[in-house]
Amino acid sequence: MTTGYVFHPEYLWHDTGTSAGLLPADPRAGVQPAVHVENPEAKRRVHELIHASGLLGELTVIEPRRATVEELQRVHTDAYIQHVKAQSDLRGGGGDAGDGFSPVGRGSYDIARLAAGGLIELVTAAAQGDITNGYALVRPPGHHATADQGMGFCLFNSIAVAARHAQTELGLARVAVVDWDAHHGNGTQAIFYDDPSVLTISVHQAGCFPPDSGWTHENGTGVGTGYAVNVPLPPGSGHAAYLHAMQQVVLPALDRFAPDLILLANGFDAGVFDPLARQMLTAASFRDMTRLLVGAAERLCHGRLIAAHEGGYSPFYTPFCALAFLEELAGTTTHVTDPLAAVVAGYAAEPLTPQQEAVIEEAAQLLPHIQTTVAAT
Ligand code: 9RB
Ligand code: ZN
């Protein structure tokens, strides 16, 4: 059993410019420019901890390549792909992919293609049996991007591109996408909304971003009805709520669907120190959730679980969450343990609340819609 790892320095060169937290920098409105919240630092520190801990030496390093236009076209419109390219070609940088919150720096078109291509390479290696599972530590993120619009820092939906590649080129008919980023995986959900061959399951902070998105009643349309699942947990949810959501919704949904491949939109912004959400997960939470998902992948699809990095904005805590995730994915441990474990124990040891239990129960009621409808190849 081997775990693949994709990283490239160019991922850190995606230039998001300035902002002030969630606000676009605007001195006229009194908003002083600062480094953009989606900047290279947290991800650089994740990579460096993977290296410094010794874990890198136990992984199968896989070199990314740029996704081709044809590969992007399986998910995105021609007009949108050309829009991102044109924004990326602007001489001074400062482009945007659509919503005003998705910066396109100079050259970011090529970097976003390298992110999507990194996922494609991991999925290909898993399908060929070169690796069992894998993690792509990429920027820019992708899960908010729809077929024709960038959104919430996302340019191309790398997970969606990898899912379509797996289906059309690798004979993996049924793909499940689990998304535990604190924000709703709206882009991935929208792309596959009418498609029963791709099950999307998002566990996120209710009503956080995009606003008014990711409610339990969003379940897919037409023949895809039942194949979008949402667990919008209230702000303040932590270990107990997320583990209950995994046990009651995510794992049973996967068991019913019987995927040939599980993709994970692997955001760490539900971590307790994250500035862009108000959830309370710890490194131990990510470890436990990963153990459950690895178990499901082993049971259902030869261990094929491929993760794409999404959000995660605490430069000091995201690396420990990511290390716990990756240790568990690789079935090993390093000498590095969460140095904040004692501190977060005092933040996040809250029991399951009735409100959390109610929304998980509501989401679980929709599971009987999910069947193994698409023939496996
Ligand atoms: C909007 C605003 C946001 C808020 C959160 C994210 C997080 C993305 C992520 C991105 C953009 C403000 C829509 C402020 O980590 N995804 O995984 N923008 N929020 N004002 N308005 C109108
Ligand atoms: Zn997020």
Side-chain angles (χ1 to χ4, degrees), residues 37 39-50 268-269 271-279 281-283 286 309 311-324 336-345 347:
V37 67
N39 65 66
E41 193 59 9
K43 283 112 200 174
R44 172 182 296 125
R45 292 170 63 100
V46 169
H47 175 71
E48 291 185 354
L49 186 59
I50 290 167
F268 294 103
D269 45 18
V272 63
F273 293 109
D274 201 274
L276 290 198
R278 282 296 173 272
Q279 304 299 59
L281 297 184
T282 69
F286 286 104
H309 197 98
Y313 306 97
S314 167
F316 70 85
Y317 200 52
T318 304
F320 297 108
C321 295
L323 188 71
V336 179
T337 55
D338 177 5
L340 285 156
V343 175
V344 298
Y347 273 61

Side-chain angles (χ1 to χ4, degrees), residues 62-75:
I62 292 180
E63 212 43 44
R65 63 169 174 85
R66 299 191 205 286
T68 64
V69 171
E70 291 70 30
E71 287 165 343
L72 297 178
Q73 282 171 336
R74 294 193 185 118
V75 166

Side-chain angles (χ1 to χ4, degrees), residues 20-24 36-38 43 99-102 141-144 151-154 179 181-186 208-211 267-269 274 276-277 310-313:
L22 283 181
L23 298 169
H36 194 280
V37 67
E38 203 293 296
K43 283 112 200 174
D99 66 342
F101 293 98
S102 305
H143 72 149
H144 296 309
M151 205 172 166
F153 318 149
C154 299
D179 187 327
D181 187 280
H183 306 97
H184 178 223
N186 65 294
C208 184
F209 185 85
F268 294 103
D269 45 18
D274 201 274
L276 290 198
E310 297 283 352
Y313 306 97

Side-chain angles (χ1 to χ4, degrees), residues 214-282:
W215 305 109
T216 49
H217 62 78
E218 295 170 28
N219 272 126
T221 188
V223 292
T225 301
Y227 295 86
V229 175
N230 287 289
V231 190
L233 295 173
S237 295
H239 188 94
Y242 274 78
L243 268 291
H244 196 64
M246 291 293 292
Q247 296 279 13
Q248 298 300 312
V249 181
V250 178
L251 298 181
L254 291 173
D255 282 335
R256 290 192 69 93
F257 187 65
D260 301 307
L261 167 71
I262 302 174
L263 298 174
L264 173 65
N266 189 24
F268 294 103
D269 45 18
V272 63
F273 293 109
D274 201 274
L276 290 198
R278 282 296 173 272
Q279 304 299 59
M280 304 188 74
L281 297 184
T282 69

